[in-house]
Amino acid sequence: MEIVNTAQALQGQLSGQSAPAGGIAFVPTMGNLHEGHLSLVARGLDAGAKVVVSIFVNPLQFSAGEDLDAYPRTLEHDLVQLAAIGADLVFTPDVSTLYPNGLQAHTTVRVPHLTDVLCGQHRAGHFDGVTTVVCKLLNLVSPDIAFFGEKDLQQLLVIRRMVKDLAMPIRIEGVPTFRAADGLALSSRNSYLSPAERAIAPQLYKNLVTISEGIQSGSGDYAGLCQTAVQRLDSLGFVTEYCEVRRCQDLALAGPDDTDAAVFVAAQLGGTRLIDNIQVGTY
Ligand code: PAF
């Protein structure tokens, strides 16, 4: 496994050898890797691709007051895990490599509309930071395919739209959320949870399942189902930011006629912000 930290070295590695039949697969990450990230790498390896992973905690996608400084940085352990699974190339740029003129002076890539709701509404500028860095990384790596976790479903939909709108010749593939045995979606931020909070955290997914079951059994009152879930979550100690059923196509609020929708939830538990979703209505 090769590890590079400059754009020149990355491109040297990528142009040095001919790509395998499976092409080049890319998995962008912010490090602190868990089984969810490794399942994205495994998908690329299974496809016979040369798998490139980036590890970069992107300051542009954190708003003032968020956890940029506290975000867990575990590079050595990440590299051990990536070598063990068989990743081919790891790109670990620093901030000045990706933003040589500073964060504020960098061109911004912005996807409108899809970023106005859900996390976009609660985290000012977050998705502009994500699309800017992902666009740049995709241009540097030029993969045939890039993998993103469905846990961040809004992010996946936003990136798909960016790639389509900008005619980038890259296939964007979502990979199902990796869950702990009790249902909690794996996330780098789970390490912030105290043991007591960790015990409550799976309720987030349990409530998504309850809403999904309500929808499958014919309830058309999506707002009511979500409101009941918010009351249950808040009574357990969550501070729910949003819980909504939205269409995957355009993130408009969904109703019983929509066949491709998801329930999206975000909630604070103590000092930790958790998000999750469950896809519903694909009949
Ligand atoms: O999902 C993440 O870890 C990040 O948002 C990403 C896609 C690596 C961009 O920084």
Side-chain angles (χ1 to χ4, degrees), residues 10 13 24 39 41 151 190 199-200 205:
L10 174 71
Q13 284 293 329
I24 294 179
S39 71
V41 176
K151 179 188 160 273
N190 291 353
I200 298 168
Y205 181 59

PDB file of all heavy atoms in Angstrom, residues 10 13 24 39 41 151 190 199-200 205:
ATOM      1  N   LEU A  10       0.411  11.833  -5.702  1.00  0.00           N
ATOM      2  CA  LEU A  10      -0.808  11.077  -5.985  1.00  0.00           C
ATOM      3  C   LEU A  10      -0.894  10.798  -7.479  1.00  0.00           C
ATOM      4  O   LEU A  10      -1.102   9.661  -7.922  1.00  0.00           O
ATOM      5  CB  LEU A  10      -2.031  11.894  -5.520  1.00  0.00           C
ATOM      6  CG  LEU A  10      -3.392  11.307  -5.880  1.00  0.00           C
ATOM      7  CD1 LEU A  10      -3.683  10.063  -5.041  1.00  0.00           C
ATOM      8  CD2 LEU A  10      -4.502  12.337  -5.658  1.00  0.00           C
ATOM      9  N   GLN A  13       1.570   8.274  -8.715  1.00  0.00           N
ATOM     10  CA  GLN A  13       1.149   6.893  -8.429  1.00  0.00           C
ATOM     11  C   GLN A  13       0.055   6.440  -9.388  1.00  0.00           C
ATOM     12  O   GLN A  13       0.017   5.296  -9.804  1.00  0.00           O
ATOM     13  CB  GLN A  13       0.600   6.784  -7.004  1.00  0.00           C
ATOM     14  CG  GLN A  13       1.660   6.774  -5.929  1.00  0.00           C
ATOM     15  CD  GLN A  13       2.509   5.510  -5.992  1.00  0.00           C
ATOM     16  OE1 GLN A  13       2.028   4.454  -6.381  1.00  0.00           O
ATOM     17  NE2 GLN A  13       3.776   5.621  -5.644  1.00  0.00           N
ATOM     18  N   ILE A  24     -10.396   2.389 -11.409  1.00  0.00           N
ATOM     19  CA  ILE A  24      -9.966   3.029 -10.154  1.00  0.00           C
ATOM     20  C   ILE A  24     -11.206   3.347  -9.323  1.00  0.00           C
ATOM     21  O   ILE A  24     -12.161   3.964  -9.819  1.00  0.00           O
ATOM     22  CB  ILE A  24      -9.159   4.301 -10.431  1.00  0.00           C
ATOM     23  CG1 ILE A  24      -7.843   3.902 -11.108  1.00  0.00           C
ATOM     24  CG2 ILE A  24      -8.887   5.077  -9.143  1.00  0.00           C
ATOM     25  CD1 ILE A  24      -6.952   5.033 -11.474  1.00  0.00           C
ATOM     26  N   SER A  39     -16.187  -1.215   4.699  1.00  0.00           N
ATOM     27  CA  SER A  39     -17.113  -1.875   3.758  1.00  0.00           C
ATOM     28  C   SER A  39     -17.117  -1.140   2.408  1.00  0.00           C
ATOM     29  O   SER A  39     -17.357  -1.752   1.374  1.00  0.00           O
ATOM     30  CB  SER A  39     -18.530  -1.974   4.348  1.00  0.00           C
ATOM     31  OG  SER A  39     -19.138  -0.706   4.392  1.00  0.00           O
ATOM     32  N   VAL A  41     -14.390   0.318   1.132  1.00  0.00           N
ATOM     33  CA  VAL A  41     -13.137  -0.138   0.507  1.00  0.00           C
ATOM     34  C   VAL A  41     -13.335  -1.548  -0.058  1.00  0.00           C
ATOM     35  O   VAL A  41     -12.921  -1.858  -1.185  1.00  0.00           O
ATOM     36  CB  VAL A  41     -11.984  -0.116   1.537  1.00  0.00           C
ATOM     37  CG1 VAL A  41     -10.698  -0.678   0.925  1.00  0.00           C
ATOM     38  CG2 VAL A  41     -11.754   1.295   2.052  1.00  0.00           C
ATOM     39  N   LYS A 151     -25.406   6.102   5.135  1.00  0.00           N
ATOM     40  CA  LYS A 151     -25.712   6.737   6.420  1.00  0.00           C
ATOM     41  C   LYS A 151     -25.845   8.244   6.232  1.00  0.00           C
ATOM     42  O   LYS A 151     -26.711   8.878   6.832  1.00  0.00           O
ATOM     43  CB  LYS A 151     -24.629   6.443   7.455  1.00  0.00           C
ATOM     44  CG  LYS A 151     -24.954   7.132   8.750  1.00  0.00           C
ATOM     45  CD  LYS A 151     -23.854   7.045   9.749  1.00  0.00           C
ATOM     46  CE  LYS A 151     -24.027   8.105  10.776  1.00  0.00           C
ATOM     47  NZ  LYS A 151     -23.414   9.375  10.390  1.00  0.00           N
ATOM     48  N   ASN A 190     -19.485   8.497  17.131  1.00  0.00           N
ATOM     49  CA  ASN A 190     -19.999   7.675  18.237  1.00  0.00           C
ATOM     50  C   ASN A 190     -18.991   7.608  19.384  1.00  0.00           C
ATOM     51  O   ASN A 190     -19.374   7.351  20.527  1.00  0.00           O
ATOM     52  CB  ASN A 190     -20.309   6.251  17.765  1.00  0.00           C
ATOM     53  CG  ASN A 190     -21.502   6.212  16.828  1.00  0.00           C
ATOM     54  OD1 ASN A 190     -22.177   7.228  16.635  1.00  0.00           O
ATOM     55  ND2 ASN A 190     -21.754   5.061  16.226  1.00  0.00           N
ATOM     56  N   ALA A 199     -25.866   3.711  25.433  1.00  0.00           N
ATOM     57  CA  ALA A 199     -26.966   2.766  25.683  1.00  0.00           C
ATOM     58  C   ALA A 199     -28.286   3.280  25.109  1.00  0.00           C
ATOM     59  O   ALA A 199     -29.144   2.493  24.694  1.00  0.00           O
ATOM     60  CB  ALA A 199     -27.091   2.512  27.178  1.00  0.00           C
ATOM     61  N   ILE A 200     -28.453   4.604  25.089  1.00  0.00           N
ATOM     62  CA  ILE A 200     -29.706   5.197  24.584  1.00  0.00           C
ATOM     63  C   ILE A 200     -29.673   5.371  23.061  1.00  0.00           C
ATOM     64  O   ILE A 200     -30.705   5.319  22.384  1.00  0.00           O
ATOM     65  CB  ILE A 200     -29.925   6.595  25.232  1.00  0.00           C
ATOM     66  CG1 ILE A 200     -30.052   6.461  26.742  1.00  0.00           C
ATOM     67  CG2 ILE A 200     -31.138   7.297  24.665  1.00  0.00           C
ATOM     68  CD1 ILE A 200     -29.972   7.803  27.458  1.00  0.00           C
ATOM     69  N   TYR A 205     -32.379   4.735  15.723  1.00  0.00           N
ATOM     70  CA  TYR A 205     -32.729   3.809  14.630  1.00  0.00           C
ATOM     71  C   TYR A 205     -34.049   3.109  14.923  1.00  0.00           C
ATOM     72  O   TYR A 205     -34.880   2.927  14.017  1.00  0.00           O
ATOM     73  CB  TYR A 205     -31.601   2.800  14.433  1.00  0.00           C
ATOM     74  CG  TYR A 205     -31.881   1.827  13.305  1.00  0.00           C
ATOM     75  CD1 TYR A 205     -32.107   2.287  12.009  1.00  0.00           C
ATOM     76  CD2 TYR A 205     -31.921   0.452  13.539  1.00  0.00           C
ATOM     77  CE1 TYR A 205     -32.370   1.403  10.969  1.00  0.00           C
ATOM     78  CE2 TYR A 205     -32.182  -0.435  12.496  1.00  0.00           C
ATOM     79  CZ  TYR A 205     -32.411   0.047  11.219  1.00  0.00           C
ATOM     80  OH  TYR A 205     -32.674  -0.820  10.189  1.00  0.00           O
TER      81      TYR A 205
END
